């Protein structure tokens, strides 16, 4: 994988969503969603403002370094009003040593008012296309707590598939924690191409 990939901004937007680099203005609404118990239900803990800001800063730095990552994501409303920050969608190289490492994962985290509108799936399709076309990845994975049915539904809508034998306990989550059991979803470049060319 090249050290830095330039992905044109036109490749990272649809009529409804836009993936972009983070700005300081995103930090406050990002902190708000990171302390929402419903948004963070399938994560080990809520994030403090300091933790949330550090997370956003890391994501911004990685995009600066690589040209891709977990992008800040906007909802582009059709009534002419200003774009609304809704969370992040994109790709990441997990830090934790996972049973299927090395890998590139696709992931998302959206504020609750923007759930149920198809925005996560729409934005994730942009990220997946960037992964397979610009980064030439052979495979993209995604994983979440086994109980996170909303995210699992998005993974399925993206054409990803899961096998029971690929379930695993996430090593970064404490033993005994209810979100430690995870499921893995995968899609290969060949599968994505076949899906993309379906009529």
């Amino acid at each position: 994988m090249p050290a830095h990939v330039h992905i044109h901004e036109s490749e990272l937007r649809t009529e409804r969503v836009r993936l972009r680099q983070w700005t300081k203005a995103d930090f406050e609404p990002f902190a708000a969603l990171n302390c929402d118990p419903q948004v963070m239900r399938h994560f080990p803990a809520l994030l403090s403002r300091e933790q949330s800001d550090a997370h956003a800063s890391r994501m911004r730095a990685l995009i600066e370094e690589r040209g891709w990552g977990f992008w800040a994501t906007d909802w582009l409303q059709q009534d002419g009003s200003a774009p609304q920050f809704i969370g992040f969608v994109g790709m990441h190289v997990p830090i934790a040593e996972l049973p299927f490492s090395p890998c590139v994962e696709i992931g998302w985290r959206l504020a609750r008012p923007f759930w149920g509108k198809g925005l996560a799936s729409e934005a994730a399709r942009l990220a997946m296309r960037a992964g397979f076309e610009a980064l030439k990845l052979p495979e993209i994975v995604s994983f979440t707590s086994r109980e996170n049915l909303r995210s699992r539904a998005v993974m399925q809508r993206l054409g990803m598939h899961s096998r029971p034998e690929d379930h695993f306990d996430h090593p970064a989550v404490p033993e005994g924690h209810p979100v430690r059991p995870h499921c893995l979803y995968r899609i290969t470049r060949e599968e994505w191409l076949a899906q993309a060319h379906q009529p």
Side-chain angles (χ1 to χ4, degrees):
M1 195 184 303
H4 187 280
V5 176
H6 175 70
I7 304 170
H8 195 272
E9 62 180 27
S10 65
E11 297 296 308
L12 297 175
R13 65 182 295 158
T14 67
E15 286 189 358
R16 295 204 310 158
V17 294
R18 172 177 68 185
L19 310 179
R20 58 167 175 79
Q21 177 59 297
W22 291 77
T23 70
K24 276 290 186 185
D26 302 321
F27 284 32
E28 187 173 338
F30 186 54
L33 73 86
N34 282 324
C35 66
D36 181 333
Q38 283 299 311
V39 173
M40 301 300 287
R41 180 179 167 198
H42 300 288
F43 292 88
L46 304 180
L47 299 187
S48 68
R49 177 62 193 261
E50 186 179 13
Q51 290 170 323
S52 179
D53 285 358
H55 188 20
S57 294
R58 278 196 305 275
M59 291 188 283
R60 183 167 66 175
L62 284 168
I63 293 168
E64 190 72 31
E65 177 188 324
R66 297 173 173 158
W68 57 275
F70 280 150
W71 287 286
T73 304
D74 290 330
W75 183 21
L76 307 175
Q77 298 175 83
Q78 303 306 300
D79 61 5
S81 54
Q84 276 189 276
F85 172 84
I86 63 173
F88 72 71
V89 179
M91 296 172 295
H92 180 63
V93 178
I95 298 168
E97 188 62 37
L98 302 170
F100 41 90
S101 295
C103 63
V104 174
E105 66 162 315
I106 191 167
W108 44 85
R109 188 179 306 167
L110 268 55
R112 201 155 22 118
F114 306 103
W115 292 5
K117 301 177 187 296
L119 298 171
S121 300
E122 192 168 330
R125 285 190 189 99
L126 289 173
M128 185 172 279
R129 186 176 70 190
F132 285 129
E133 291 187 353
L135 304 183
K136 310 294 186 193
L137 297 173
E139 180 183 63
I140 294 174
V141 305
S142 195
F143 48 88
T144 188
S145 157
R146 287 186 215 170
E147 305 303 314
N148 190 351
L149 301 183
R150 280 181 168 276
S151 271
R152 293 182 69 170
V154 174
M155 294 167 194
Q156 289 160 11
R157 283 196 287 273
L158 294 172
M160 307 183 88
H161 48 85
S162 177
R163 302 181 306 173
E165 58 265 37
D166 289 334
H167 291 354
F168 67 103
D169 287 342
H170 199 298
V173 180
E175 284 193 32
H177 196 290
V179 305
R180 184 173 163 91
H182 268 54
C183 52
L184 171 70
Y185 282 75
R186 304 175 180 264
I187 185 169
T188 65
R189 190 166 188 272
E190 289 72 23
E191 288 166 340
W192 175 79
L193 283 168
Q195 175 182 294
H197 292 120
Q198 281 178 354

